[in-house]
């Protein structure tokens, strides 16, 4: 796989490779290759990545695969490693993480 080098990113599928990254049945799942590109470009091995609204855990799977540390929060916990949290407040100290990825919900598409 190559890092996208233009502003036009085309992802015909939610997943890449032969292992799942997140769950493509999850409402609003993020294309895994978006996260792969961002982590490749802006982080290095051992960095701490946080996703405050991680849904089905796509960021968790991509980050682990790329040997980044990762914390995933969501109101809707779909997997044991996701920490239940309302990310209007995030329980981390300022400047304590290397990269934040967030794919926020769209309007009132989902009820909580
Ligand atoms: C677009 S989805 C994220 C999809 C995720 N990146 C994935 O690949 O599965 C947005 C997520 O935001 C979560 N969410 C909405 N409001 C939230 C809040 N206040 N705090 C934490 N999570 C929230 C929803 O539960 C939903 O999982």
């Amino acid at each position: 796989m190559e890092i996208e080098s233009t502003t036009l990113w085309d992802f015909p599928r939610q997943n890449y490779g032969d292992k799942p990254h997140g769950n493509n049945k999850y409402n609003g799942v993020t294309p895994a290759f978006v996260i792969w590109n961002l982590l490749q470009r802006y982080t290095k091995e051992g960095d701490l990545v946080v996703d405050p609204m991680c849904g089905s855990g796509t960021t968790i799977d991509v980050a682990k695969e790329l040997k980044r540390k990762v914390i995933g929060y969501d109101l809707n916990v779909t997997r044991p490693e996701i920490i239940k949290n309302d990310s209007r407040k995030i329980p981390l100290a300022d400047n304590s993480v290397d990269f934040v990825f967030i794919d926020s919900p769209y309007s009132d598409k989902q009820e909580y």
Side-chain angles (χ1 to χ4, degrees):
M1 295 190 298
E2 289 185 16
I3 295 181
E4 293 288 322
S5 58
T6 72
T7 53
L8 179 64
W9 294 9
D10 183 27
F11 305 108
R13 298 168 55 229
Q14 186 274 333
N15 200 20
Y16 62 79
D18 50 11
K19 284 184 272 174
H21 302 90
N23 177 354
N24 61 17
K25 304 284 184 293
Y26 189 78
N27 200 1
V29 67
T30 309
F33 201 52
V34 172
I35 301 169
W36 185 90
N37 260 273
L38 293 170
L39 297 191
Q40 288 284 13
R41 189 175 285 275
Y42 297 113
T43 69
K44 56 186 183 315
E45 279 191 23
D47 277 358
L48 175 59
V49 174
V50 172
D51 187 336
M53 298 184 173
C54 73
S56 66
T58 310
T59 304
I60 292 174
D61 295 331
V62 175
K64 284 184 175 170
E65 188 172 83
L66 296 177
K67 299 186 170 52
R68 276 60 165 163
K69 295 185 286 250
V70 62
I71 299 173
Y73 300 108
D74 205 287
L75 278 178
N76 178 32
V77 173
T78 57
R79 295 160 48 166
E81 64 265 61
I82 295 175
I83 300 166
K84 188 175 178 70
N85 185 62
D86 182 342
S87 287
R88 284 175 288 189
K89 188 163 172 42
I90 297 174
L92 291 171
D94 288 351
N95 298 317
S96 62
V97 310
D98 299 294
F99 189 83
V100 175
F101 175 84
I102 186 164
D103 180 2
S104 58
Y106 325 111
S107 183
D108 56 358
K109 188 172 172 216
Q110 188 128 347
E111 299 226 351
Y112 298 100

